[in-house]
Amino acid sequence: MAIDTTHVHNVGDFYSQHYLDAVLPDDLGPVFKAWSAREKDGGAKTPAKQLARLAEPYFKALAAYPSASDDEARRAVCADFHARVLEALGYDRAPTARALPDGSVVPLTLAIDTHGRPFLWVLELPFPESEDDADPLGAAPLGALDDPEAG
């Protein structure tokens, strides 16, 4: 099964081209088949189809964000849309916070641990307000909790 890796940005050649071309399709094939079988049996749509349905809600949220009355309203616009993205990927939004080694605390939208160690952290970032704000790595995460010291 061939997978289109055209949009995979292999920063620093983290994955070998052989892996992307020959191994990854075999690794992901059973997952794609399970998703398709689940949908065929009347279950949830595949994540790709669920994500495709988020185009209109995305543009509505993007338009609503700058006109929201205050920071809390903006956070709510983001949280609603981000919850939809997580749901499409099979996760639930579960805000928490985690301490970093330097003692700072990062607000998380979702944290999954495996074998007692962090496995996946999802950070909720604001929508960009201008072209200058379009770099998500330059944005501070939205405060997901009333008490950022909790968690």
Side-chain angles (χ1 to χ4, degrees), residues 1 18 24 26 33-34 45 54-57 60 68 72-73 75 84-85 100 103-104 106 113 115 121 129 146:
M1 173 178 151
H18 169 74
L24 183 64
D26 290 338
K33 286 178 184 175
K45 300 281 184 205
L54 293 178
E56 184 178 341
K60 285 183 178 179
E72 190 58 39
R75 189 173 303 143
R84 291 174 182 224
V85 172
L100 298 177
S104 62
V106 62
D113 293 340
H115 305 294
W121 283 5
E129 294 185 44
D146 293 329

Side-chain angles (χ1 to χ4, degrees), residues 9-47:
H9 299 285
N10 198 10
V11 178
D13 294 324
F14 185 78
Y15 297 107
S16 71
Q17 196 59 46
H18 169 74
Y19 176 79
L20 293 174
D21 292 341
V23 179
L24 183 64
D26 290 338
D27 287 349
L28 294 179
V31 174
F32 294 152
K33 286 178 184 175
W35 287 343
S36 295
R38 180 186 65 200
E39 181 180 8
K40 197 178 260 187
D41 291 341
K45 300 281 184 205
T46 66

